[in-house]
Each structure stands twice: as structure tokens, then as C-alpha cells.
Amino acid sequence: MHLVVFSICKDEEKTIAGVLDAIPPIIPGIDTIQTLVLSDGSLDRTAEVARNAGATVIEGQTQLRLAARFQQAIDIALAMGADIAVNIDGDLQFDPAEIPKLVEPIVSGRAQFVAGDRFTKPGATTPGRPENMPKSRYAGNVVGAGVVSLLTGTRFPDVTCGFRAYSREAMLTVNINSTYTYTQESFQRFAHAGLAIEMVPIAVTYYPGRRSRVVEGFVSFVSNSAVNLLRSYRDMAPLRFFAVLALLPLLGGLGGLGFVLTHWLRTSQTSPYTSIGLLGGYFFSLGVILIVVGLVADMMVRSSRNQEKILRLLKEERYQLSSNERYGLAEPTWTKRAS
């Protein structure tokens, strides 16, 4: 099997070589290993250092952010003939020596997507905050994991970890619509596609005072992630999404109409509650409209799912016939061979 390890970096010249050099040269079940680095508008020597370390480098002159670079990395990994792809940060926050742990469930056939779990320590019964991880960031991750778990119907303790492994099936399924981040949306997409997902506890190092160079600002990250989660769920389960939105106005409208109707049956008039009846009618109508929108969206999503299937088949055909020349890449200058 062919493994491509990729890293999306911004200004990581001091650490990216250490990440690449620490990738195990031998991984059970893997025949060849290639490395890929995508520089997301770096202003330092990240691309040069990565290239000198033997990686194939995509040197983006402008910052497109995580989601766009991730989709680009997946497409290139498929073009490179990857059976498995591993995504790891370029700042040595994660230990490359743990890559075999993420690859093993895919090699053995148990999983098609494997995500690192930063919060569950081996032997522990409940998740916990890693050392030096800001409390606000941990709380945001807990909330995000809870929302994704609720929306997918499966419990996931960590949905934003950037240390992950993807089978070829998962890579062909990836179709990220977000323009900001991909982590939560990919969980939802894989879960709804019925892919086997496994989480593996991993070690993580949080350096005091260090800020992410790819994600700028925790507040903006959380707010954008929340919007992306809602959009993703809206697109994948529109009937349920709009039904939930319609619930409150429907109940409120029915309550108002029921109250005024009861008063009318007793007194043969709506006064002095006429306005309540009008508001009840308005909110009930709003709820009905939302239900109709959900029904229309549900019909549209069925067509969208067919388009996703067609897109996946087109990807299969494309990457069976594709080569590095499609992306303007030279043949890899560095390949680790595993027995």
C-alpha cells in the first residue's frame, strides 16, 4: 500500500523538517511512503526547508486557509496514487512516530477514516484537557464534539484534531464546501456516507504562548466552525433541520390560536385577544412555510446525493488515469520504502 503524509503549513520553517524527518521509515502494511507539504501563503522559508527535506511541495503564494488547502491536498494525494493519506500539523504538536497507530485500522480493514483523539488518555474512562491547552479552546472543542455527535448519532470525543488518516474510499468521498475549516464537516460527511470511523488516542503537545499560524483567532474559528456545522447539517439532513426550526413557531402559533378559539367558544367573540389570534396565525403559517421549505430541500438533497455519487465515480476514473503531470509535479524526489 502507498501512503502519502501531508502537512498544511504557514510559516513553519523551524519545525517542518523535524516533522518530515521523524516519519517512521517502516510502517506495517505500507510499501512506500511519500511526503507532501502545502505552504499556505508562508512568508518564511517553509517551502524551501520542506523541499530540502525531500517533500513534494505546493508553494501557495496566498493564504487560502485550511479547507481549501485540505481539499487540494486530498486531490494531490489521490493523483500521487495514495491508498492511505495522513494529515499532520507542521509544528511538531503531534508526534510523527504515532502515524502507524492511525494507519493500522485502515490497513487491517476495520476503518476507512481514523481520527486522533487528544482528550482520551489510554486507560482513562473519561476525556480530559491536555496539559497547557487553553481552557476556552478545550471548552469549544467539547461543545463542537457534542454538536457533531448529536447531529451524526455517534459519539466522537474529538472532532477538530488535525492528525488523521484517510483511506482511498474516504479521500474519494471528501467534498468540502466550507471555505474556512474542514474538520467538523468531514466527520459529518463520512458519518452520513456510512464510512467506518475509528478514533485513536494520541499524544499532543501544547506549547505555552504559541498561536496557530493557520487558524487566526480562536473566537473567529469557533464562530466560523458553528456556521459551517449548521450549513453542513442543513445540506445533509434538510427535512430534520427545517422541522426543528419550524417546531417553535408551530407550537407558539397553535398555542395562540387555541387560546383565542377557546375564548371564542365561551364568549362568541375574539376581543380582547384578537391580536393574539393574529400573531398565532402568523407564527403557525411561518412554521408551515418552514416545513414546506424542508420538504423541497429534502427533494433537492436527493438529487444532490446522486450528484455526489457521480462526482465520486468521476474522481475514481480521473485518479486511475491521472499522473503527477496533471498537477505540474515532478516525480517524487524522496520516497521511504517500507518492507
Side-chain angles (χ1 to χ4, degrees):
M1 300 185 77
H2 181 46
L3 170 66
V4 172
V5 180
F6 69 87
S7 183
I8 302 169
C9 301
K10 187 176 189 305
D11 301 333
E12 301 289 4
E13 65 175 1
K14 296 180 179 179
T15 54
I16 186 59
V19 172
L20 297 172
D21 291 341
I23 296 172
I26 298 176
I27 298 176
I30 301 299
D31 301 308
T32 55
I33 304 171
Q34 286 181 253
T35 55
L36 170 68
V37 172
L38 292 89
S39 175
D40 190 28
S42 295
L43 300 177
D44 63 0
R45 297 173 55 250
T46 294
E48 178 185 348
V49 172
R51 194 175 290 113
N52 291 338
T56 296
V57 176
I58 303 298
E59 192 168 358
Q61 300 299 317
T62 58
Q63 185 178 15
L64 301 182
R65 298 193 183 280
L66 275 173
R69 293 296 180 194
F70 171 75
Q71 185 69 65
Q72 183 183 19
I74 290 294
D75 290 342
I76 295 174
L78 284 167
M80 294 169 73
D83 298 299
I84 302 174
V86 168
N87 182 19
I88 187 170
D89 291 351
D91 60 358
L92 284 175
Q93 186 179 50
F94 302 115
D95 184 2
E98 291 195 307
I99 289 176
K101 292 173 58 176
L102 271 71
V103 169
E104 188 275 331
I106 297 177
V107 171
S108 66
R110 295 198 315 272
Q112 294 161 305
F113 169 59
V114 181
D117 178 5
R118 297 165 292 176
F119 307 138
T120 304
K121 296 181 180 180
T125 56
T126 57
R129 180 170 63 93
E131 185 178 1
N132 294 324
M133 184 181 191
K135 293 181 180 179
S136 58
R137 184 174 298 181
Y138 177 67
N141 276 278
V142 170
V143 172
V147 172
V148 172
S149 299
L150 179 65
L151 297 181
T152 59
T154 306
R155 182 183 175 276
F156 299 116
D158 187 358
V159 297
T160 59
C161 179
F163 196 13
R164 301 176 169 192
Y166 307 84
S167 67
R168 185 172 180 83
E169 178 73 17
M171 287 187 279
L172 289 169
T173 303
V174 167
N175 184 29
I176 301 299
N177 295 310
S178 167
T179 57
Y180 191 78
T181 184
Y182 66 91
T183 50
Q184 299 98 331
E185 182 180 342
S186 59
F187 256 100
Q188 288 179 270
R189 188 166 296 278
F190 293 148
H192 282 283
L195 268 62
I197 300 173
E198 186 168 322
M199 304 209 69
V200 175
I202 57 165
V204 61
T205 302
Y206 282 94
Y207 302 96
R210 176 181 290 187
R211 296 180 59 185
S212 171
R213 296 182 176 91
V214 179
V215 179
E216 296 180 355
F218 174 70
V219 174
S220 63
F221 177 76
V222 170
S223 59
N224 279 284
S225 295
V227 171
N228 289 331
L229 275 173
L230 288 176
R231 284 178 174 173
S232 178
Y233 189 66
R234 176 203 62 192
D235 295 341
M236 295 178 188
L239 185 57
R240 190 184 307 172
F241 178 85
F242 284 102
V244 171
L245 289 181
L247 187 61
L248 187 59
L250 276 176
L251 292 178
L254 283 173
L257 289 172
F259 175 79
V260 174
L261 178 61
T262 302
H263 178 72
W264 178 79
L265 291 173
R266 290 176 178 176
T267 64
S268 298
Q269 59 183 1
T270 58
S271 179
Y273 304 116
T274 304
S275 59
I276 294 178
L278 292 174
L279 283 173
Y282 168 77
F283 282 112
F284 181 78
S285 299
L286 177 60
V288 171
I289 290 172
L290 287 171
I291 292 293
V292 172
V293 170
L295 289 171
V296 173
D298 186 59
M299 289 186 289
M300 293 178 65
V301 84
R302 292 177 182 272
S303 175
S304 175
R305 285 171 183 164
N306 286 331
Q307 291 177 334
E308 293 277 355
K309 292 177 183 178
I310 294 171
L311 177 61
R312 188 195 177 287
L313 291 173
L314 288 173
K315 282 183 178 180
E316 270 191 6
E317 182 177 356
R318 177 186 186 185
Y319 293 120
Q320 282 175 353
L321 302 175
S322 65
S323 65
N324 286 343
E325 286 76 18
R326 183 183 294 276
Y327 287 87
L329 300 175
E331 288 301 315
T333 56
W334 178 78
T335 303
K336 287 187 175 182
R337 297 195 175 274
S339 58

